[in-house]
Amino acid sequence: MAGASELLLAALTFFCGLSLVLGVPGLQAAIFGLLDAVFGRPDLSPEKIHQAHAVVLTPLATLVAAFLYRGVGRWLDHRVANQIDHRIPGSPGLPEQPWPRSDARDSAAQVALHLLVAVAGSYLLAVLMHLLGAPVVEQGLVLELTASGDLRRPELAILCFSALVLAPIGEELFFRGQLLRRTWRRGGPLAAYLASAFLFAAFHGNLQGFVVYAWLGLVFAHVHARTGRLSAAVAVHLGNNAVTLAILLLAPPT
């Protein structure tokens, strides 16, 4: 029940974050103009330019949703605490951070280990899915933007910014910083891992890559729980995305 309620709260806050980013008049135009100013305007058709710009919208919406989730979650926790006449603010009798923080050296080692596990596990799952006749396929737009392999192209620079900066920060704040922590406090570790991993996989909207995304969600959740540092999950997420981009850029054209 706790996991289901947190999934609902996460879905609602993400929808609100997406609605804000897409619905505020002039905001998209301002974001796209800023991208052109920083990275240059892609030499593509207007439709393709819009698609290249749009790769930043979902990570930005996730970042907004993470702060909404935190605010709404704390408000709900405070109401529950008041209803049971609890005098401690925040979560009723439960710490916001359910795990102790490891020291910097152990955290760095855990980041390296979990990055290796994330990449190796993703590869083995992709091989297994291929053998089962359901090959893992990267998102079509990502494949299209990386096809040239030219890092000087604005559209590829925008993709790298989205994948290496916005996505690791926004998604980890939302899925691990809020959903994992809150579900762990209310429903225990199993519910927390499953909720965080499966919603993370569903969020990417790539059915052919669902298993790999779920695996990555579990790895990112575990390094956060193991170290007590959200920055560790961000680092592993960033490293995994960097490896994926490097493979796509170095792959021979088909």
Side-chain angles (χ1 to χ4, degrees):
M1 181 63 70
S5 64
E6 284 301 326
L7 283 174
L8 178 59
L9 180 58
L12 288 174
T13 51
F14 175 74
F15 177 77
C16 290
L18 188 62
S19 298
L20 285 172
V21 170
L22 298 181
V24 173
L27 181 58
Q28 280 192 63
I31 293 171
F32 295 167
L34 181 60
L35 292 174
D36 286 345
V38 174
F39 300 107
R41 188 167 180 80
D43 184 18
L44 300 169
S45 67
E47 179 184 358
K48 294 298 182 183
I49 290 175
H50 181 80
Q51 291 178 356
H53 284 156
V55 298
V56 306
L57 294 180
T58 301
L60 280 175
T62 309
L63 185 59
V64 172
F67 290 104
L68 289 174
Y69 192 175
R70 182 180 182 182
V72 173
R74 286 186 169 184
W75 177 76
L76 290 174
D77 289 344
H78 186 68
R79 289 201 61 182
V80 171
N82 287 339
Q83 288 174 0
I84 62 173
D85 196 27
H86 204 288
R87 296 184 179 181
I88 300 177
S91 178
L94 295 173
E96 183 174 342
Q97 167 75 319
W99 320 284
R101 287 167 62 89
S102 62
D103 60 38
R105 179 176 297 181
D106 181 61
S107 295
Q110 291 297 326
V111 167
L113 174 62
H114 282 78
L115 177 56
L116 177 62
V117 170
V119 173
S122 298
Y123 174 77
L124 292 175
L125 283 172
V127 171
L128 177 60
M129 296 301 292
H130 179 77
L131 293 175
L132 293 175
V136 173
V137 178
E138 184 55 80
Q139 298 174 67
L141 181 59
V142 173
L143 293 175
E144 189 173 345
L145 293 177
T146 56
S148 69
D150 186 356
L151 289 172
R152 296 169 298 179
R153 295 179 66 88
E155 62 270 23
L156 188 51
I158 293 170
L159 174 64
C160 289
F161 173 66
S162 178
L164 302 180
V165 179
L166 293 179
I169 294 174
E171 292 174 11
E172 292 313 309
L173 282 171
F174 186 87
F175 290 103
R176 262 59 69 176
Q178 293 302 314
L179 179 59
L180 178 74
R181 289 184 184 185
R182 290 180 58 81
T183 308
W184 191 298
R185 284 160 37 206
R186 297 173 180 279
L190 179 60
Y193 277 122
L194 292 178
S196 172
F198 282 94
L199 189 61
F200 176 75
F203 158 87
H204 284 83
N206 181 2
L207 184 59
Q208 291 176 286
F210 186 92
V211 173
V212 170
Y213 283 119
W215 166 253
L216 293 174
L218 290 173
V219 175
F220 301 157
H222 189 264
V223 73
H224 180 30
R226 177 64 179 79
T227 63
R229 296 175 182 265
L230 189 62
S231 58
V234 172
V236 177
H237 194 153
L238 186 158
N240 178 79
N241 286 5
V243 170
T244 301
L245 281 174
I247 292 172
L248 292 173
L249 291 170
L250 296 174
T254 56

